[in-house]
Amino acid sequence: MRVLGLDLGDRRIGIALSDETGTVAQGRGVYERRGLEEDLAYLVRLAREEGVARIVVGLPLNMDGSEGEQAAKVRAFAQALAERTGLPVEFLDERLTTVEADRVLREAGLRERRKRKVRDKLAAVLILQAWLDARQGG
C-alpha cells in the first residue's frame, strides 16, 4: 500500500511517497502552488499515477496543541482532497517537523538558498515516516 505524505504551505507543498510495502518514506518533490483547483488536480493525478491508497497530511498545531488559522486551512484543503480522490486522509501533528528539517539540513551544511528548495520535501518525508513508524509500532 503506497501512502502519500504532504506538508502543506501557503506557497509550496512538500511531497513524499512511501514504498509499496508502506515502510519507508521517500521525498517526491516540492509543488509550487497555483490555486486550489490546479493544486487539487495535480495531487489527484499524482495519487492515481502512483497507486496511492491513503494520504497523510501534516497538521500545523500551535505549541500548546490547539488549532489555529493555518490548521483550519489545512483541514479544509485535506477535506477537498479526500472528496476529489475518494481516498482516506489522515492528519499527523507536524509541530516540530520544519524545525527538525532545518536541523538536518543545517547539519548537512546546505546553504540557505538550497535549504529552501528541499525543506518542504524533507518535512513531508518526516511527516510520512513518523506516520508509517507509528502504524508499525516503531
Side-chain angles (χ1 to χ4, degrees), residues 2-138:
R2 288 197 89 176
V3 182
L4 178 65
L6 302 176
D7 177 45
L8 294 173
D10 289 330
R11 291 184 290 201
R12 289 177 301 278
I13 300 173
I15 301 171
L17 280 167
S18 75
D19 62 344
E20 289 81 10
T21 66
T23 307
V24 178
Q26 302 168 349
R28 177 68 160 74
V30 175
Y31 172 80
E32 296 288 333
R33 297 192 74 172
R34 296 179 176 98
L36 181 61
E37 290 305 316
E38 281 188 65
D39 298 351
L40 290 170
Y42 174 81
L43 292 171
V44 167
R45 191 168 51 252
L46 177 65
R48 286 188 182 135
E49 288 171 0
E50 296 293 343
V52 168
R54 182 175 304 274
I55 301 170
V56 176
V57 177
L59 187 63
L61 300 175
N62 295 321
M63 289 312 284
D64 66 1
S66 64
E67 292 189 21
E69 182 181 334
Q70 195 64 27
K73 287 182 190 178
V74 167
R75 283 194 182 276
F77 185 91
Q79 177 64 36
L81 186 58
E83 290 169 4
R84 296 280 176 93
T85 61
L87 297 173
V89 175
E90 295 187 32
F91 296 98
L92 184 88
D93 178 357
E94 68 155 33
R95 276 180 277 191
L96 300 177
T97 56
T98 301
V99 172
E100 177 66 10
D102 281 336
R103 184 190 63 76
V104 169
L105 295 173
R106 187 173 49 256
E107 288 178 3
L110 276 111
R111 292 200 158 102
E112 191 58 38
R113 186 173 173 170
R114 177 79 176 123
K115 274 196 250 185
R116 283 193 298 266
K117 293 183 178 185
V118 295
R119 179 185 297 127
D120 298 317
K121 177 174 67 172
L122 181 54
V125 169
L126 293 170
I127 290 164
L128 181 54
Q129 191 63 58
W131 185 88
L132 293 170
D133 290 348
R135 276 193 56 139
Q136 295 181 2

